[in-house]
Amino acid sequence: MSHPRLLSLLTLALLTACGPKGESAPAADAGAAPAAGQSAVKDEESQPDVVKVAVGSKDHTTLVAALQAAGLVDALSNAGPFTVFAPTNAAFEKLPAGTVEDLLKPENKSKLTTILQHHVTTSALDLDFFEDGQAVGMVDGTRETFTRKPDGAYLGSAKIIASVRASNGWVHVVDGVLVPAAK
């Protein structure tokens, strides 16, 4: 390629890369805050995801605070599918005094995350899916047993007291906190 043609191509490339009146386009701000995740999407018309179901419930403020402390809000706001066994505030109150406060401390994030992951499975499962005695694999890598009793359905020792369909799965409200067995 001849020098004049190369010079013309380079000039054209520079002009194309510049904005109006030859000004360069602004560079990305290295100090800018990262884009928010899926949980930041504002949508008042679509069916809520599992996190928005919890956020919209006055009975799940402790769970929402725990999800925030563990950094799991964005993960559970994604497409999923997820089935979340969501302990109520009353379920958290059944734990020994000081347990929730201790788990919410930054130094206990790993333990809190494990407990919360023990309440989630990566499928959208209606209660009709579960069979008595079925072992349910949880996100933390452990299992809980589903049972049907005369007074209702249980996962481990937690009774399922309500179910809500979400855009990315199911939220089954439970009356107890499921603590995984020590590994």
Side-chain angles (χ1 to χ4, degrees):
M1 182 180 279
S2 68
H3 290 312
R5 189 169 176 187
L6 180 60
L7 185 57
S8 296
L9 286 173
L10 285 173
T11 303
L12 180 61
L14 284 172
L15 289 174
T16 304
C18 292
K21 299 182 182 178
E23 295 174 9
S24 296
D29 181 5
Q38 183 68 23
S39 64
V41 173
K42 301 295 180 206
D43 180 358
E44 302 301 325
E45 295 178 26
S46 300
Q47 185 177 26
D49 59 48
V50 295
V51 172
K52 287 182 176 77
V53 167
V55 167
S57 168
K58 65 180 179 13
D59 295 322
H60 289 91
T61 56
T62 304
L63 175 61
V64 171
L67 290 171
Q68 291 168 338
L72 295 175
V73 172
D74 280 334
L76 290 172
S77 296
N78 287 322
F82 303 108
T83 298
V84 176
F85 296 91
T88 61
N89 294 341
F92 281 103
E93 290 170 7
K94 291 179 184 178
L95 295 172
T99 300
V100 173
E101 295 78 10
D102 191 51
L103 286 171
L104 292 175
K105 292 178 181 176
E107 62 267 24
N108 294 327
K109 182 178 179 179
S110 176
K111 185 175 182 179
L112 176 63
T113 300
T114 298
I115 291 170
L116 292 172
Q117 288 176 338
H118 191 68
H119 289 79
V120 180
T121 188
T122 56
S123 299
L125 304 174
D126 182 326
L127 276 184
D128 292 338
F129 169 84
F130 297 104
E131 297 178 9
D132 189 47
Q134 179 179 355
V136 180
M138 309 310 278
V139 170
D140 71 332
T142 62
R143 297 185 178 280
E144 280 289 342
T145 302
F146 181 87
T147 54
R148 293 193 184 273
K149 298 179 182 179
D151 67 334
Y154 288 77
L155 186 68
S157 61
K159 183 177 182 181
I160 299 169
I161 56 178
S163 296
V164 179
R165 182 73 167 115
S167 64
N168 62 346
W170 280 91
V171 176
H172 298 300
V173 179
V174 294
D175 71 352
V177 176
L178 302 167
V179 179
K183 292 182 182 182

